[in-house]
Amino acid sequence: MKVRHTSPSRILKVPFPICSLSEQRRIVAKVDRLMKLIDDLETQLAASRVKAANLLSAVIAELTNRTESFGREWHFGPRNSHFGLKSARKRSSQESSSAEPLRKLPLS
């Protein structure tokens, strides 16, 4: 392919700046560090994807292997046990006489 009005001799006469050898070495060292960082990040990303897939598989297995539906004591025990509260059954029998009636809140 030819470029009009140009010849190899004219191109060779054009000054073409080149960095000093020390600057070229600095650039190469920087690129090498960045390439290593990219490789490390790609390895971490692949490991994270494997962990995410394993976690998803474990969650799905836990959910699909469960024989009962999402009941009151599904997987984590009674609803209120995590908050230090008595279960509704125990509370109703023990505190039925001391329980306050619910008050209606104004709608406005």
Side-chain angles (χ1 to χ4, degrees), residues 79-97:
R79 281 186 283 242
N80 298 328
S81 67
H82 298 292
F83 303 105
L85 302 173
K86 295 178 183 176
S87 73
R89 228 181 272 153
K90 290 178 185 175
R91 186 175 47 235
S92 64
S93 64
Q94 293 172 353
E95 301 173 1
S96 59
S97 61

Side-chain angles (χ1 to χ4, degrees), residues 1-77:
M1 180 171 150
K2 288 189 174 186
V3 179
R4 291 183 180 201
H5 310 293
T6 307
S7 67
S9 61
R10 285 185 76 185
I11 292 176
L12 291 174
K13 291 179 184 176
V14 175
F16 187 73
I18 297 178
C19 296
S20 66
L21 188 57
S22 63
E23 182 69 10
Q24 291 178 32
R25 287 184 177 143
R26 189 192 67 77
I27 292 170
V28 168
K30 177 75 172 184
V31 170
D32 286 344
R33 284 193 306 272
L34 292 173
M35 293 302 290
K36 182 179 181 331
L37 178 63
I38 290 170
D39 290 341
D40 293 345
L41 291 173
E42 286 176 342
T43 302
Q44 288 177 5
L45 181 61
S48 294
R49 286 182 175 153
V50 168
K51 285 181 183 179
N54 290 341
L55 179 61
L56 180 62
S57 296
V59 168
I60 290 171
E62 181 68 23
L63 292 174
T64 56
N65 290 336
R66 199 69 184 170
T67 57
E68 61 186 10
S69 63
F70 291 101
R72 186 172 67 91
E73 296 186 2
W74 187 81
H75 188 70
F76 295 108

